[in-house]
Amino acid sequence: MLYPIDTESRVVMNLNGVWKFMIDREVEAVNPAEPLPAEEVMAVPASFNDQTVTKEIREHSGYTWYEREFKVATPLMKKRVVLRFGSATHEAWVYVNGREVTHHKGGFTPFEVEIGEFLEQGTNRLTVRLSNLLDYTTLPVGNYSEHSDEEGNLVRKVDENFDFFNYAGLHRPVHLYTTPKDYIKDISIAPEVDLDKRRADVKVDVKTAGDFDEVLVTIIDEEGNEAGRSSGNTVSVAIDDVALWQPLDAYLYTAKVEGIKGGETTDVYDEQFGVRKVEVAGGRFLINGEPFYFKGFGKHEDTYVNGRGLNEAYNVLDINLMKKMGANSFRTSHYPYSDEMMRLCDREGIVVIDETPAVGLFGSFSFDLSILENGADSKDGTWEVMNTSDAHEQVIRELIDRDKNHPSVVMWSISNEAATYANGAHEYFEPLFNLARELDPQKRPLTNVYIMMATPESDQCSDLLDVIALNRYYGWYLDTGDLKTAEAKTRKELLAWQEKYPDKPIMYTEYGADTVAGFHSPYGEPFSEEYQEDYYRMNSKVFDEIDNFVGEQLWNFADFQTKFGINRVQGNKKGVFTREREPKMAARYLSERWNSIPDFGYKK
Ligand code: BDP
């Protein structure tokens, strides 16, 4: 799906701002044909939760309503007018002037609808009913229950089957944009590069709607010069002496796509892309033919007040902090991030592992960690109770559709910490991996991010993965405070994976220890800043011994808000930065380490 941009033929209008808001107590039916009887207001884009001082609103599970008015300039009413939501978490019903125009389920991917026939001259009313409910059919997965209160009113409850707060609302920009009636619908770009000859063949596939005599694709370089052109819906444009998109040294070309009719360009769209090659071979992750070493983080979209809502200033700051630390990459744990963040990563040369919202596919998630001691149970009933295949297929389709052209994306993560060791897991995942491989025009590598119980012995799905991506907490959830034992276990497991799959690269996608900023201990006790640093030093030592170990993405970039639980004091404290982005002590150690590790060739 194309991002809304202004071009010579398109106008983008912004519907962000302060909207009317109310929670739906489900006592009286809300009629979208009437103006919303709301007394609250809410800023968009943002989560609603932290903008209120009312516990009832902050912790509301169920339905909420948003409404605002808008006008469309008369000359634009003759165009095709499209309403687009960057995301609406987790399910939305959208009404224009009281009539339902669209419905979308899934809180982390965009959706859009043509609304011309619903528009009126003058003031229009846009109303959105949202649900933040999650259950065993949704992604992420929630434990859903309901009961009645003393007055007999229905109370809905979502117990998150994952370790982040269930923020909800209109999280990303809401846009109106126009196109001509005959328009460019989608553009798919797959550059194939011959690294020796420094030549690329850029395959561009254009989908159009309506009537064009010709589709013209012109490739323009960063200096604004034409690098090649071709005519047709499916073309291959050659670029000689091509400039590569490299990690931390991004080069972006623009594919200018024009729909021409009667000698006139009627629609035009500029899609940026990068030329780079990604492969997995011989236990290495190669970018542009060189063995790449991932240094970086698992993150969250999580800031004060905005919650999970787009916060572009934080996005810019976070990338600057990453670069300063010598990091080159992050994972969009545990859901697709905003279009805006993906575009920023393309520009800044940040390497991204792009994850679906498939988190919580784990029948017995809880803060009872005895399961770690007891090991994997292949009879764990996860795949009997989860009914998420349809949602999973949908998010893979929507994620790849949205992010397929981003050069920053080098790998798709199909899920985080699913019960891949339990019977039924392979049957569940195989069709999803096949689907992702089929849909991605750039055929990027795939992974599933592995929970501690998924070991070389217990796991049932690792044949599907191109890269073994592990979340490991030896020395934190296991052997807490005992880094010696943790070191031995880390080494043993990594060697076992390497022996089992000598050709698959291995990386850590999570490892960390909760750390209370400002808590110091002469003994390096757990939760102290000293322990966090010791923990990272221990892990680094082992990583450097393992030949096929190609990357370290720690958990987490910053402290973040979670659901309530006795293991969480004001959220998860595994950040190397606080939630305000102040560095903890370990940031200095990691910064020294990462600034001395080259992006390429660290593991020869
Ligand atoms: C892993 C999860 C992540 C958690 C982390 C932790 O993938 O979402 O926040 O552990 O416990 O289980 O800190």
Side-chain angles (χ1 to χ4, degrees), residues 308-546:
R308 190 138 292 121
L310 177 66
N311 191 330
E312 297 208 78
Y314 267 86
N315 284 350
V316 170
L317 172 65
D318 287 0
I319 285 183
N320 282 332
L321 288 170
M322 287 187 213
K323 285 184 170 175
K324 190 164 182 221
M325 281 189 72
N328 54 22
S329 63
F330 71 87
R331 172 172 61 120
T332 70
S333 40
H334 295 309
Y335 36 79
Y337 288 7
S338 64
D339 288 283
E340 291 75 13
M341 184 55 149
M342 303 310 290
R343 292 164 74 83
L344 184 62
C345 291
D346 287 350
R347 183 63 278 164
E348 295 292 297
I350 298 291
V351 170
V352 177
I353 300 176
D354 205 358
E355 187 157 282
T356 72
V359 55
L361 287 165
F362 180 40
S364 38
F365 179 88
S366 77
F367 285 122
D368 169 12
L369 299 168
S370 58
I371 183 167
L372 290 179
E373 304 283 355
N374 302 335
D377 174 8
S378 63
K379 296 196 187 60
D380 150 312
T382 302
W383 305 107
E384 283 143 42
V385 299
M386 293 300 161
N387 202 358
T388 47
S389 293
D390 290 350
H392 214 145
E393 193 185 308
Q394 184 195 338
V395 294
I396 289 172
R397 285 185 189 284
E398 292 184 355
L399 176 64
I400 296 181
D401 180 49
R402 191 194 72 165
D403 287 353
K404 56 185 180 289
N405 296 337
H406 287 295
S408 53
V409 176
V410 300
M411 178 155 66
W412 308 106
S413 162
I414 301 298
S415 74
N416 178 73
E417 295 202 339
T420 52
Y421 51 82
N423 295 339
H426 201 277
E427 291 83 336
Y428 178 88
F429 277 110
E430 193 176 18
L432 298 174
F433 274 70
N434 290 342
L435 178 69
R437 286 190 217 284
E438 173 199 318
L439 292 175
D440 181 10
Q442 297 190 3
K443 307 293 170 213
R444 294 166 178 89
L446 301 181
T447 194
N448 244 357
V449 166
Y450 271 7
I451 196 163
M452 284 204 81
M453 288 86 78
T455 60
E457 298 76 38
S458 68
D459 182 67
Q460 303 198 14
C461 297
S462 40
D463 62 307
L464 301 170
L465 317 185
D466 296 306
V467 173
I468 307 287
L470 305 173
N471 294 352
R472 290 298 179 265
Y473 290 94
Y474 296 114
W476 187 249
Y477 291 126
L478 279 183
D479 306 302
T480 318
D482 177 0
L483 291 176
K484 227 170 156 186
T485 307
E487 180 179 330
K489 288 190 180 171
T490 303
R491 183 176 293 111
K492 184 164 175 246
E493 191 190 345
L494 288 176
L495 287 171
W497 279 112
Q498 183 168 266
E499 194 179 316
K500 184 162 179 184
Y501 293 110
D503 286 330
K504 292 196 194 208
I506 305 164
M507 67 182 290
Y508 264 19
T509 32
E510 286 185 26
Y511 62 120
D514 284 270
T515 304
V516 179
F519 171 45
H520 291 278
S521 158
Y523 316 106
E525 289 165 279
F527 292 103
S528 69
E529 296 205 27
E530 285 77 9
Y531 189 75
Q532 191 181 34
E533 181 173 330
D534 293 345
Y535 171 92
Y536 282 124
R537 283 183 188 276
M538 176 281 283
N539 278 284
S540 306
K541 182 172 160 209
V542 185
F543 299 163
D544 289 345
E545 294 169 17
I546 310 291

Side-chain angles (χ1 to χ4, degrees), residues 58 141-143 157-167 302 308 365-368 560-572:
R58 182 171 197 267
V141 174
N143 300 291
K157 195 167 183 302
V158 173
D159 173 21
E160 297 95 325
N161 212 40
F162 45 84
D163 185 32
F164 50 93
F165 190 80
N166 186 25
Y167 279 118
D302 173 281
R308 190 138 292 121
F365 179 88
S366 77
F367 285 122
D368 169 12
F560 60 92
Q561 198 52 260
T562 63
K563 69 171 183 170
F564 302 136
I566 53 165
N567 285 33
R568 298 285 179 261
V569 185
Q570 272 199 330
N572 189 310

